[in-house]
Amino acid sequence: GAVVSQHPSRVICKSGTSVKIECRSLDFQATTMFWYRQFPKQSLMLMATSNEGSKATYEQGVEKDKFLINHASLTLSTLTVTSAHPEDSSFYICSATRVPGGSQYFGPGTRLLVL
Amino acid sequence: KNEVEQSPQNLTAQEGEFITINCSYSVGISALHWLQQHPGGGIVSLFMLSSGKKKHGRLIATINIQEKHSSLHITASHPRDSAVYICAVGVAGANSKLTFGKGITLSVRP
């Protein structure tokens, strides 16, 4: 149990376009979902924390108007990278928890390349 | 100084060797996580522990709260254990937010 999926797994887009990434908890209801990004050879960096039905909490330095997060249900959160630029190219990973403070279950990640 | 430090930075071992990866942290934590990331990028949560010791197959994780230190041991290592091992801590009072170490790249040679 505790499977988290992400879609798409890989996306290539043109500069200036928007890209939506989905994160789903397949067999449990997630109280909280987290969005991370990871640059090559670096560790994960938390972008935002998302609770169902409420606004996401963004980490310092993360532009909320550029990285739109919608947590529409207890099993789905979406991250939209708006007006993507090449510097947004990265590996985006989501995770989800069943209960506050509980284990985080990670999705397989989405590799974004902006040309 | 990073809140979570891992050592060694890179590690190469021969198949069958016993491997130890260390993690030290400097903040109060609610729990410590060991994660495994394979070259494709996907992350698997290996352990979540707040005290003592846990074992799963050939993997053992220990934590010493007083010393703010955790170790991940791999017994009878195998090339498929080659991956990046990441230590992450849930900071006390931070509502499940994790702070990550930089990870250790382990390569097990056949």
Side-chain angles (χ1 to χ4, degrees):
Chain A
V3 178
V4 176
S5 71
Q6 279 185 244
H7 178 80
S9 58
R10 182 183 294 267
V11 57
I12 301 173
C13 70
K14 292 182 179 178
S15 187
T17 60
S18 294
V19 175
K20 180 185 283 188
I21 302 169
E22 292 185 350
C23 176
R24 292 182 185 272
S25 56
L26 298 184
D27 53 358
F28 67 99
Q29 292 186 326
T31 56
T32 306
M33 288 183 169
F34 301 88
W35 285 98
Y36 301 91
R37 65 190 296 182
Q38 185 182 36
F39 291 107
K41 304 292 185 184
Q42 295 188 24
S43 192
L44 284 78
M45 289 184 58
L46 180 65
M47 298 175 68
T49 303
S50 169
N51 292 292
E52 183 263 342
S54 61
K55 290 184 179 179
T57 302
Y58 290 81
E59 295 299 298
Q60 192 172 10
V62 178
E63 299 175 58
K64 62 180 180 182
D65 294 329
K66 179 166 183 64
F67 299 100
L68 300 178
I69 292 173
N70 182 18
H71 197 150
S73 74
L74 283 170
T75 59
L76 173 65
S77 177
T78 60
L79 168 69
T80 301
V81 183
T82 62
S83 187
H85 286 96
E87 56 265 32
D88 298 323
S89 300
S90 188
F91 191 57
Y92 292 87
I93 305 170
C94 74
S95 71
T97 59
R98 277 195 176 110
V99 295
S103 283
Q104 289 194 26
Y105 302 99
F106 289 85
T110 296
R111 197 163 298 280
L112 170 64
L113 177 61
V114 184
L115 301 177
Chain B
K1 186 178 186 296
N2 294 329
E3 291 178 329
V4 182
E5 297 276 0
Q6 291 189 243
S7 63
Q9 196 166 16
N10 293 289
L11 184 58
T12 301
Q14 204 64 36
E15 182 173 0
E17 286 185 354
F18 180 84
I19 294 168
T20 295
I21 298 170
N22 297 303
C23 175
S24 296
Y25 54 91
S26 57
V27 295
I29 68 168
S30 55
L32 183 142
H33 301 250
W34 280 104
L35 310 171
Q36 180 191 57
Q37 185 172 31
H38 279 281
I43 290 177
V44 175
S45 180
L46 299 175
F47 295 103
M48 173 181 168
L49 65 165
S50 53
S51 66
K53 175 180 174 179
K54 286 190 176 180
K55 184 177 188 294
H56 187 259
R58 295 181 294 107
L59 303 179
I60 303 167
T62 63
I63 188 168
N64 185 317
I65 297 294
Q66 286 73 31
E67 295 187 3
K68 292 186 166 62
H69 181 270
S70 175
S71 294
L72 176 68
H73 306 285
I74 304 174
T75 61
S77 60
H78 190 276
R80 64 175 174 266
D81 297 326
S82 298
V84 176
Y85 291 84
I86 302 168
C87 171
V89 299
V91 179
N95 192 26
S96 301
K97 286 170 58 172
L98 296 180
T99 299
F100 295 82
K102 292 185 177 179
I104 289 169
T105 302
L106 170 65
S107 177
V108 181
R109 294 178 177 165

